[in-house]
Amino acid sequence: MSENTKKDLFYEHGLRFQCQGSGKCCTSHGEFGFVFLTKDDRRRFAKHLKVTTSAFTKKYCDQTNGIWHLKEDKGNPDCMFLKNKGCSVYEARPNQCRTWPFWPEVMNAKAWKSEVANFCPGVGKGRLWSKEEIEQEMSKDRENERKLLGGL
């Protein structure tokens, strides 16, 4: 990253974010529709639901281009685990959900404003996440993506 890019980060002084439990992030927003799952995600879900990983995968998952994701109901853009505007499996939620809203693909000023702040009521609220914490979350998201692409 060039010195100018580092200096110009819109989150240089941190961002305020605290989940408000609105469930809006659990509804499909264009390209962010799939909830992708690593093997660890599927194991965590299975343990939480008290089923085998194989049973969880068969009942709740599909594969697209070799990558596992939660099944989607074409008539309903909401995550299947969204109940009463809340995540019914919060403790078992996948890494993709754990790192929201600090995904690398939305961590520029334009995308943050149009793809996050415009619909997520948690933006601007709660504690101040430091630049270092934000970048740590983005790093977790990138590692998750590597696992997904590696078939883990």
Side-chain angles (χ1 to χ4, degrees), residues 38-53:
T38 64
K39 185 178 262 185
D40 288 340
D41 290 330
R42 290 183 284 131
R43 286 178 179 148
R44 190 170 45 253
F45 265 120
K47 183 177 180 183
H48 182 78
L49 297 173
K50 297 177 174 62
V51 298
T52 66
T53 303

Side-chain angles (χ1 to χ4, degrees), residues 98-114:
R98 291 170 187 267
T99 57
W100 174 259
F102 303 118
W103 294 350
E105 60 267 29
V106 296
M107 290 310 297
N108 65 70
K110 183 178 179 181
W112 181 264
K113 183 176 181 185
S114 66

Side-chain angles (χ1 to χ4, degrees), residues 46-73:
K47 183 177 180 183
H48 182 78
L49 297 173
K50 297 177 174 62
V51 298
T52 66
T53 303
S54 177
F56 170 80
T57 301
K58 185 175 182 178
K59 183 173 182 177
Y60 297 105
C61 302
D62 280 331
Q63 257 188 340
T64 299
N65 298 323
I67 301 173
W68 289 105
H69 57 85
L70 289 177
K71 288 182 179 180
E72 285 194 331
D73 177 352

